[in-house]
Amino acid sequence: MIFTLVLILIGALLLLVIGINVLQQHKERVEAERRSELARQRAIIDETETVLSCTGMFPCSTDITLVLYRRIQEALSKAVNIGTSQSADYERRLLDLNSQIDSIKSNPKLMPSLEGFRLPDTDKQILTLVQILKKLKAILRAEHNKGKVDPTVFAQEEAKIDNLQLRINVDSMLARAKKANSMKQYGSSKLMVTKALATLHTLKALSPTEPFISQRVDEAKQLLDEIMRAQQLSEPRQASSKVAEDDIDMLFQPKKKW
């Protein structure tokens, strides 16, 4: 009888230990998922705030600003519901953001023209802008797939981003072509101008009436003429230099024995 009770007690203890282990593992799994979800929401907030901080580098409409603010709003709401030591901070940021969104919605919409866009001065700034536009396009598409962006707004804003990316490519290629031309690298310079003209052809298909296109086409053609003239002027000198080098090579060749 005592032996049976001992076995029962041992079995009960084993079940209790197993139950505690299962509960502990479940608690750890829930905590890991909570930390993972919080990290994901924080990454969304950080990425979106980075894009927002760079919207002064390009013409940004009210619709795009609202898409970015609402993305942060959703991430902050989820972070608050997860429940952490930072919940109070997230709640405060959410209240401030809600006020900003209400303020933007109460004011007239801004639709700045791309004609006012100017390429940044340094290569580093241009690279930053290219990366920001790439992130912005991905965010816009993701929010549209969730049904949070009106299809008309999505089509208009995506077309603007595509247009802006092509403009940056054109201006960057023309700038590099001018630099190569000044260094007498005529082959590289012509290649850049040719690529710029091909990009302008693509841009014209998207926006046939934009003044930017005709202006850059004229600029590219003028630059191409300058390159061709400079190359033609340099060719006689290159030829005479080649003849001189050949004469020098002949002088230093081993003399033939007859």
Side-chain angles (χ1 to χ4, degrees):
M1 183 67 179
I2 294 175
F3 181 70
T4 303
L5 287 173
V6 170
L7 289 176
I8 292 171
L9 286 173
I10 291 172
L13 286 172
L14 286 173
L15 288 173
L16 181 61
V17 169
I18 292 170
I20 291 172
N21 284 335
V22 168
L23 288 174
Q24 184 64 27
Q25 288 175 3
H26 175 71
K27 184 179 178 181
E28 290 175 356
R29 184 169 64 253
V30 169
E31 179 62 21
E33 290 175 354
R34 187 185 66 81
R35 286 198 301 267
S36 176
E37 180 62 18
L38 181 61
R40 193 173 76 86
Q41 299 307 323
R42 288 177 63 179
I44 290 172
I45 294 168
D46 291 343
E47 180 189 46
T48 313
E49 286 181 340
T50 298
V51 174
L52 265 172
S53 67
C54 296
T55 52
M57 298 178 71
F58 59 92
C60 182
S61 69
T62 299
D63 288 325
I64 282 292
T65 303
L66 283 173
V67 167
L68 295 173
Y69 273 134
R70 284 167 177 160
R71 189 172 191 247
I72 297 174
Q73 182 186 46
E74 181 185 16
L76 284 172
S77 297
K78 290 181 178 179
V80 169
N81 292 332
I82 289 171
T84 65
S85 57
Q86 295 177 303
S87 290
D89 180 55
Y90 289 136
E91 286 180 5
R92 178 184 57 77
R93 291 174 64 183
L94 184 58
L95 287 173
D96 291 341
L97 188 62
N98 290 339
S99 298
Q100 286 179 295
I101 291 173
D102 290 339
S103 176
I104 292 172
K105 289 168 67 177
S106 64
N107 291 321
K109 278 191 176 184
L110 295 176
M111 299 289 289
S113 171
L114 293 182
E115 294 306 319
F117 171 74
R118 293 292 178 270
L119 197 68
D121 297 327
T122 67
D123 290 341
K124 184 177 180 181
Q125 289 175 323
I126 293 171
L127 179 60
T128 299
L129 178 57
V130 169
Q131 292 172 339
I132 289 297
L133 288 175
K134 186 177 179 181
K135 286 182 180 179
L136 177 59
K137 189 173 181 179
I139 289 172
L140 181 63
R141 187 165 294 175
E143 295 302 296
H144 174 256
N145 290 339
K146 294 177 186 175
K148 296 181 179 179
V149 180
D150 182 86
T152 303
V153 172
F154 169 74
Q156 290 174 347
E157 295 300 332
E158 187 178 50
K160 285 181 183 178
I161 296 172
D162 290 339
N163 193 313
L164 197 52
Q165 288 174 323
L166 289 173
R167 284 170 177 253
I168 293 169
N169 286 339
V170 168
D171 283 343
S172 296
M173 284 186 285
L174 290 177
R176 286 190 307 216
K178 290 176 182 177
K179 185 176 180 180
N181 185 39
S182 67
M183 298 172 66
K184 299 182 180 180
Q185 297 173 352
Y186 303 118
S188 298
S189 186
K190 280 196 292 186
L191 180 62
M192 288 295 105
V193 176
T194 303
K195 286 183 177 180
L197 285 169
T199 305
L200 284 166
H201 180 72
T202 302
L203 194 57
K204 189 174 183 179
L206 296 173
S207 307
T209 59
E210 284 193 11
F212 169 85
I213 300 170
S214 57
Q215 291 170 2
R216 291 299 182 272
V217 167
D218 292 341
E219 183 180 341
K221 288 180 178 179
Q222 183 180 353
L223 179 57
L224 191 58
D225 289 341
E226 291 176 9
I227 295 166
M228 296 300 291
R229 285 197 299 270
Q231 190 174 28
Q232 288 171 359
L233 289 172
S234 69
E235 283 174 354
R237 288 197 295 271
Q238 290 175 353
S240 61
S241 175
K242 178 65 176 173
V243 170
E245 289 175 3
D246 291 342
D247 290 342
I248 292 170
D249 290 340
M250 287 292 293
L251 285 173
F252 287 95
Q253 278 183 357
K255 296 184 182 295
K256 294 182 180 179
K257 293 182 180 180
W258 300 97

